[in-house]
Amino acid sequence: MMRAVENPARLSALARLRSSLPPEVLAASDRMDEIRRRLVDTARDVEVDERLLRLKTSMFGPVDGKEGSILIITGESHAGKTTMLERKLLVDPGLQPYEIDSKPITPLVYMGVKAPNSLQSLAVELLATLGYPVKVDMKRPAAFKLLREKLQERQVLILWLDEAQNLLHVNNPMELTIVANNLVTLVQNMEWPIRIILSGLPELDDLVDFKQIRSRADHWPLGKTTNPAHVAGWLHEIVEKHAELTLDDTLYRYDADEEKWIDNVEFGLRLVHASGGNFGTIMRLIRDAVGCGLKEYDLAVAKGDAPPTCQIGRRHFAKAYANIVGVSNKANIFWAPNWGELPGDMARVKLAEIETSAEPTREMEKELGKKVKPLRAGERRK
């Protein structure tokens, strides 16, 4: 399956569109694109390396070996599952396609499971991905039999199904057993056993309830981010290293009493709450805040009153949050004194009685800093 970034027709269309845009707009857009492409290292990268290594080395054991033959990674939308696996699997030197006597070999097959889906349509789509288009009305038993043959013909070692929770959307609960059984037939095929990676939303966890899956699965539910120190580390990496900008004193300041630079812990807790602890959403908010800061700075440059450097602060996160969620300043988690009482997880707060105020001033920032007692993520005021 061709991806959008590899589609020549789409790339040509985008090039034509670019030619119509002003250079200054393209420069800002390209800079943000570069910033968004930079990856942030986390403890998850170490763990996924270990789990993928176990998955690969499990193929060197007995053909009917069970343990660790199916890796299941679940998490909320934008938790970073797909990106984490892409950056590991798609560049793995041992999983790159090659040819033997002009015959294509595909060690890794990667496909997103469409919704709605069935085992029959999954087999048909996988066959097409492997280069063997078949009739869409092909019966499931025949389609899976052919799929097993073609997986062996292409010498597929690992099958990665993203958005795999769509396999569980069936009308008859008994069909879930059929789903589990057919996945197992692929990993315990006596002639050509493969390894399977399933990634998707938390509902995919239900698949582990089946004994035949549970005995073979390495199940990894991705947890939420709750530690403001982790958030601070990612903030510094994206703003200072990726964007080559600085943080203002609403986020990072020098404490004369302790004689050291310190991060704003309360801000970290606000960011955790605003994102629902979702890693991908935290990344989005930080990068969007950088984008807001760059736009503000470019406008100041155009007016001739720009400061010496572009600094990213609380107001840029408030702007980024408002752009996504659509709330007034008084209902904005990055400004509101009662931020712990506001819905998190990027919830759209609809409070018609709250009038939209002007952009917060530095005095407001100082007032918030003095009067608001830091809360833990999700804590409510009494």
Side-chain angles (χ1 to χ4, degrees):
M1 179 176 60
M2 182 184 296
R3 307 175 71 199
V5 294
E6 302 166 340
N7 190 325
R10 185 174 186 276
L11 295 176
S12 177
L14 289 177
R16 185 177 181 85
L17 176 61
R18 279 182 63 92
S19 66
S20 68
L21 298 176
E24 61 273 16
V25 172
L26 290 174
S29 176
D30 289 345
R31 183 173 182 185
M32 280 308 303
D33 182 60
E34 181 181 348
I35 292 171
R36 294 182 194 282
R37 287 176 182 272
R38 297 284 297 275
L39 298 174
V40 175
D41 293 324
T42 71
R44 289 178 177 177
D45 293 292
V46 176
E47 184 161 359
V48 74
D49 282 337
E50 294 175 351
R51 290 178 185 267
L52 289 175
L53 184 60
R54 286 201 299 268
L55 184 76
K56 289 185 283 188
T57 55
S58 72
M59 287 185 277
F60 305 142
V63 171
D64 60 349
K66 292 183 179 181
E67 188 175 350
S69 56
I70 302 176
L71 173 59
I72 301 177
I73 301 179
T74 60
E76 296 177 348
S77 179
H78 303 297
K81 306 177 295 295
T82 302
T83 300
M84 177 179 64
L85 286 169
E86 282 182 341
R87 66 185 291 194
K88 300 297 182 180
L89 294 172
L90 300 188
V91 298
D92 189 318
L95 298 177
Q96 299 307 302
Y98 59 98
E99 291 186 356
I100 296 180
D101 298 329
S102 299
K103 176 184 175 181
I105 306 299
T106 315
L108 170 70
V109 171
Y110 163 38
M111 192 184 81
V113 180
K114 299 177 182 177
N117 207 294
S118 66
L119 275 174
Q120 184 271 344
S121 60
L122 174 69
V124 169
E125 290 169 10
L126 279 172
L127 285 166
T129 300
L130 288 167
Y132 302 101
V134 296
K135 293 182 179 180
V136 295
D137 59 352
M138 190 177 190
K139 299 299 183 181
R140 183 183 66 214
F144 255 85
K145 180 177 182 297
L146 183 60
L147 176 62
R148 287 194 296 271
E149 294 173 0
K150 298 309 180 183
L151 287 171
Q152 179 172 351
E153 188 173 305
R154 294 287 193 196
Q155 298 185 25
V156 174
L157 298 176
I158 295 178
L159 170 63
W160 171 24
L161 299 177
D162 197 21
E163 301 298 339
Q165 76 279 351
N166 290 325
L167 290 173
L168 278 58
H169 297 168
V170 295
N171 296 324
N172 184 352
M174 289 299 296
E175 291 185 27
L176 292 178
T177 301
I178 298 175
V179 170
N181 288 337
N182 276 273
L183 290 175
V184 169
T185 64
L186 298 180
V187 300
Q188 66 177 23
N189 183 346
M190 294 301 293
E191 289 189 38
W192 193 265
I194 66 169
R195 294 299 179 253
I196 295 177
I197 299 174
L198 303 174
S199 54
L201 297 178
E203 59 192 279
L204 183 60
D205 294 334
D206 293 342
L207 191 62
V208 186
D209 292 338
F210 292 86
K211 182 179 179 180
Q212 62 270 49
I213 296 294
R214 184 170 61 251
S215 62
R216 294 170 172 83
D218 178 5
H219 183 207
W220 183 21
L222 297 181
K224 293 187 176 183
T225 296
T226 59
N227 190 335
H230 294 163
V231 173
W234 300 332
L235 178 64
H236 283 283
E237 183 171 356
I238 293 175
V239 173
E240 298 173 347
K241 295 182 180 179
H242 297 180
E244 297 181 346
L245 305 176
T246 59
L247 299 168
D248 73 12
D249 59 8
T250 64
L251 306 185
Y252 190 57
R253 65 180 180 81
Y254 185 76
D255 188 307
D257 294 333
E258 297 189 23
E259 297 184 340
K260 66 178 183 179
W261 287 86
I262 60 173
D263 293 296
N264 186 332
V265 176
E266 185 202 64
F267 168 79
L269 292 173
R270 287 176 185 254
L271 182 49
V272 167
H273 186 53
S275 64
N278 184 287
F279 174 76
T281 304
I282 291 173
M283 295 297 103
R284 179 188 181 185
L285 273 169
I286 295 176
R287 289 164 179 150
D288 283 4
V290 169
C292 290
L294 288 174
K295 289 179 181 177
E296 178 186 88
Y297 189 77
D298 288 344
L299 181 60
V301 170
K303 292 181 178 180
D305 55 1
T309 59
C310 177
Q311 291 190 316
I312 305 301
R314 184 203 295 255
R315 68 183 185 279
H316 300 122
F317 280 87
K319 177 64 175 175
Y321 184 76
N323 288 342
I324 298 170
V325 183
V327 295
S328 66
N329 289 325
K330 291 183 178 179
N332 191 309
I333 286 175
F334 292 98
W335 285 128
N338 63 330
W339 60 272
E341 299 174 10
L342 300 176
D345 200 15
M346 310 308 295
R348 181 174 293 278
V349 182
K350 297 181 179 180
L351 301 175
E353 69 276 10
I354 297 181
E355 62 180 23
T356 302
S357 62
E359 281 292 319
T361 62
R362 179 56 64 87
E363 284 69 32
M364 180 186 291
E365 292 184 4
K366 292 180 178 179
E367 180 180 356
L368 288 174
K370 289 181 178 179
K371 292 187 176 181
V372 179
K373 180 181 178 180
L375 297 174
R376 295 186 294 273
E379 182 182 359
R380 293 181 178 273
R381 296 190 183 281
K382 299 179 181 180

